[in-house]
Amino acid sequence: MPQASYAPPRFPWAWLAAGVSLLVGMVAWGVAVYPRLPDRIPRHIGGSGVDAWTDKSVGAAFMLVFVYAGVTALLSVTAALVLRATPTAELPDGETRFALPGTQRPATRTGARRMAAALLVTNVGIGLSFVAGNLVQWRTHVTAEVPWWFYVGLLAPIAGGAALTVAVGLWDRREGNRQRSAAGSARSARQGHDKP
């Protein structure tokens, strides 16, 4: 008898909307400030402040916006693929399905939904760190000094999103191990009961 096709959990549209709203806000902010930017804008910010400059251009001024648009697209597709992968808990016993080397499919449907949301939350964190970068890059005056909060604003949102994604993955793994252990115990009990 053919198995019914897998119906993936709902996509976490609210978290994608948060990332897209952040992207749109960055574009609007950049468009508004661009005419007032000086002729030279920061190209690189090191440990002691701005250490490289470049001529003002749309490509240079909006680099972080372009990168964030790409990251948003990439993590949105990744979240959708996580949801489309049949969780190991829903695969028939002994059946394996294709997975990329070095990756694992979610253990549970709930884990898949949480992982997709965590990826999109991480995307929002990346966007917030880029906002911190734009606060320095889009200053209307030329200075190599960078405020103390810049490095925290740059790193903390990404670190928070990455920690959340790892925690969700570990939680899903633990839940999958628990379900497999319970299924194995139930199978052993059935086999013991079936013996004469």
Side-chain angles (χ1 to χ4, degrees), residues 19-45:
V20 170
S21 297
L22 188 55
L23 179 62
V24 169
M26 287 170 64
V27 169
W29 174 28
V31 167
V33 78
Y34 184 80
R36 299 192 319 264
L37 293 179
D39 292 338
R40 304 277 289 164
I41 60 174
R43 187 183 68 177
H44 184 265
I45 301 164

Side-chain angles (χ1 to χ4, degrees), residues 74-114:
L74 177 65
L75 290 180
S76 299
V77 168
T78 304
L81 291 174
V82 165
L83 292 172
R84 303 256 338 137
T86 305
T88 54
E90 297 188 29
L91 291 174
D93 285 344
E95 182 179 334
T96 58
R97 300 247 177 113
F98 172 77
L100 295 173
T103 65
Q104 287 193 297
R105 65 182 61 250
T108 65
R109 178 182 291 263
T110 301
R113 192 174 60 245
R114 287 179 186 141

Side-chain angles (χ1 to χ4, degrees), residues 1-194:
M1 184 157 108
Q3 181 186 0
S5 63
Y6 174 68
R10 269 186 43 138
F11 189 86
W13 291 108
W15 284 111
L16 177 59
V20 170
S21 297
L22 188 55
L23 179 62
V24 169
M26 287 170 64
V27 169
W29 174 28
V31 167
V33 78
Y34 184 80
R36 299 192 319 264
L37 293 179
D39 292 338
R40 304 277 289 164
I41 60 174
R43 187 183 68 177
H44 184 265
I45 301 164
S48 58
V50 178
D51 55 16
W53 300 84
T54 188
D55 292 333
K56 172 181 155 181
S57 69
V58 171
F62 285 84
M63 179 58 68
L64 292 177
V65 176
F66 297 146
V67 170
Y68 184 53
V71 169
T72 299
L74 177 65
L75 290 180
S76 299
V77 168
T78 304
L81 291 174
V82 165
L83 292 172
R84 303 256 338 137
T86 305
T88 54
E90 297 188 29
L91 291 174
D93 285 344
E95 182 179 334
T96 58
R97 300 247 177 113
F98 172 77
L100 295 173
T103 65
Q104 287 193 297
R105 65 182 61 250
T108 65
R109 178 182 291 263
T110 301
R113 192 174 60 245
R114 287 179 186 141
M115 182 56 70
L119 288 168
L120 296 175
V121 169
T122 299
N123 179 60
V124 171
I126 292 168
L128 291 173
S129 73
F130 285 3
V131 166
N134 286 333
L135 281 168
V136 170
Q137 189 175 29
W138 291 346
R139 292 183 291 195
T140 55
H141 60 282
V142 177
T143 179
E145 293 178 16
V146 174
W148 66 267
W149 51 259
F150 168 75
Y151 300 101
V152 174
L154 192 69
L155 299 175
I158 295 174
L164 173 67
T165 302
V166 169
V168 166
L170 293 173
W171 186 2
D172 179 59
R173 182 74 45 81
R174 190 169 50 245
E175 183 66 17
N177 289 340
R178 188 189 65 73
Q179 285 185 4
R180 279 189 291 281
S181 176
S185 297
R187 200 169 22 255
S188 295
R190 274 195 313 271
Q191 290 171 349
H193 182 6
D194 291 344

